[in-house]
Amino acid sequence: MMRIIDGNEAVALAAKLARVKVISAYPITPQTTVVEKLAEYISNGELDAEFIKVESEHSAMSACIGAAATGVRAFTATSSQGLLLMSEMLYVASGLRLPIVMTNANRSVSAPLSIWCDQQDSMTVRDSGWIQLYCENNQEILDTTIQAFRIAEELLLPVMVCYDGYILSHTLEPVDCPEQSEVDAFLPEYHYPYALDPEKPVTMGPVGVPEYYMEFRYLLQKAVQESKAKIVEIDHEFKKRFGRGYGILEEYRSDDAEVVILTMGSLSSSCKEIVDSLRQRGEKVGLVKLKSFRPFPTEEIIEALGRAKAVAVVEKDISLGHAGGLFIDTAAAFVNTREAPLMINFICGLAGRDVTSALLEQAVRETQRAAETGRVEKKIRWLGLQEKLVEE
Amino acid sequence: MKLKPGAVITEPGNSEKYETGGWRTFCPSVDPAKCTGCGLCWLFCPEAAISKGKPPKIDLRYCKGCGICANECPVKAITMKEGCRQ
Ligand code: SF4
Ligand code: SF4
């Protein structure tokens, strides 16, 4: 059924359709209405689940870890400082291989205090062993959250669904909402093979002595790395059932493009607009929208970007002291290959700064210049920076 | 042995397979002449490496050399010595 809902409601609806059994979350802007909606579903009897109220996100993730260890489907939602506060437990969840699903409404981090969107929060925890999937619109949020439970449970890995705060979380869009029976058929009841059970005692979270710790890290790395195939497979099945699929990345008019924009999340829509308008003028510009940041699809990235002369990596985060996270990883993907495209990193849209078509066009123009001249003047560019405020 | 995902241990009591003797630097040595067989060392040993007796027997596969037994022995029958391997 087609409904007009915002991104947060798309998340709540997906969690309800997934029949989550335990929800533990702490309110934080801009995620708050996700858990408000879920609490409403529980209180009016639409969803049969335990809502564990906690005093912090650290405890929310801890409660989800405990719940998942008993073999039930556990869910939480957060943003920004909340994600950072639970970061210690993120590593525990993945290390224990518990298939928790979390949605993160992307928001900038303090200080200065800001509630507006960028992707610094989830980018900061990219090494935590969680699968990270970024969404472009509210339909993709709903679909990805439903898929996330299948991915998590089939691989015993936690999955983080990321979507831009406000830009998606609080913006109404038409979303095709599947029926409960359709989701039930796609997402069977969950059975965790090592669920806590007094009849079958197990030890969870033992000491990882030097003789074994490395092997467990190796296995975790292997699991996240190899999850790519499963994500694609589950997406295919989803597409067969629901008519919508997203792949690990999307190539948009990039086949013959000389200049390609690479980005994640809602910026993809803005970039598609600019690509269309430049294509109308006969310019060979395309877009690659990366959905799965972890696992990072190295081969697919090389395949999708390798033909371009120059790539504009447009992102809303920065690894301070180096470059944007997406840029770093994309550059690393091309290591040991012969034909890497030139790459420019455009840092933009921090803390909700508008990324206008004019700014995106400026990024494309600079990248085209690099493609023509064969050289990059400045590797990292801050798009839309008010230079006069920061000049010495 | 195949490692389980998430380091879950499905076989209770398998810490027996982990021989903590490899951690040992100092080694307990019992003087049978002083020992009264009171059993306190057996009670206190955190690795359960001691079998009761007069004198007690110490299993060096598990004795990690912590010295608690020597500390607790009321008649100072146990001394910690460097370098023993049995
Ligand atoms: S040294 Fe420690 S581990 Fe060894 S027997 Fe004494 S109490 Fe037990
Ligand atoms: S504590 Fe001392 S006296 Fe008692 S059994 Fe052990 S070695 Fe013998």
Side-chain angles (χ1 to χ4, degrees), chain A residues 70-108:
Chain A
T70 69
V72 300
R73 200 166 271 161
F75 173 81
T76 188
T78 195
S79 287
S80 181
Q81 307 305 120
L83 185 67
L84 298 193
L85 183 54
M86 66 168 65
S87 65
E88 181 186 346
M89 302 318 291
L90 295 182
Y91 287 77
V92 176
S94 60
L96 292 175
R97 301 288 301 272
L98 294 172
I100 297 161
V101 170
M102 167 163 64
T103 54
N104 180 59
N106 282 108
R107 167 184 146 182
S108 47

Side-chain angles (χ1 to χ4, degrees), chain A residues 95 97 194 202-203 206 211 215-216, chain B residues 3-9 18:
Chain A
R97 301 288 301 272
Y194 308 111
V202 297
T203 299
E211 291 92 322
E215 284 68 22
F216 284 110
Chain B
L3 299 179
K4 298 266 184 327
V8 172
I9 295 170
Y18 188 66

Side-chain angles (χ1 to χ4, degrees), chain B residues 30 34-42 53 56 69 72-75 77-78:
Chain B
V30 188
K34 283 192 190 164
C35 175
T36 64
C38 72
L40 274 181
C41 54
W42 165 81
C69 52
E72 296 298 335
C73 174
V75 297
I78 305 180

Side-chain angles (χ1 to χ4, degrees), chain B residues 28 45-47 49-50 58 62-69 80:
Chain B
C45 174
E47 291 301 328
I50 301 180
I58 296 173
Y62 298 105
C63 168
K64 62 186 176 190
C66 66
I68 290 175
C69 52
M80 300 301 292

Side-chain angles (χ1 to χ4, degrees), chain A residues 11-26 31-32 34-43 46-54 59-65 67-68 72-78 100-103 149:
Chain A
V11 166
L13 191 61
K16 178 168 84 113
L17 288 167
R19 296 185 188 277
V20 291
K21 280 282 171 302
V22 171
I23 299 161
S24 186
Y26 190 80
Q31 161 277 131
T32 305
V34 172
V35 284
E36 280 178 4
K37 197 78 201 164
L38 284 167
E40 191 184 308
Y41 291 147
I42 294 173
S43 81
E46 280 180 74
L47 173 63
D48 178 21
E50 288 290 328
F51 194 107
I52 304 177
K53 283 183 262 178
V54 285
S59 300
M61 184 47 66
S62 303
C64 286
I65 288 170
V72 300
R73 200 166 271 161
F75 173 81
T76 188
T78 195
I100 297 161
V101 170
M102 167 163 64
T103 54
F149 288 97

Side-chain angles (χ1 to χ4, degrees), chain A residues 95-97 156 192 194 201-206 209-212 215-216 219, chain B residues 1-14 17-19 22-23:
Chain A
L96 292 175
R97 301 288 301 272
L156 297 182
Y192 176 53
Y194 308 111
V202 297
T203 299
M204 283 187 185
V209 288
E211 291 92 322
Y212 297 113
E215 284 68 22
F216 284 110
L219 288 174
Chain B
M1 175 184 64
K2 196 103 171 67
L3 299 179
K4 298 266 184 327
V8 172
I9 295 170
T10 51
E11 195 189 325
N14 78 348
K17 291 187 183 158
Y18 188 66
E19 300 190 354
W23 303 1

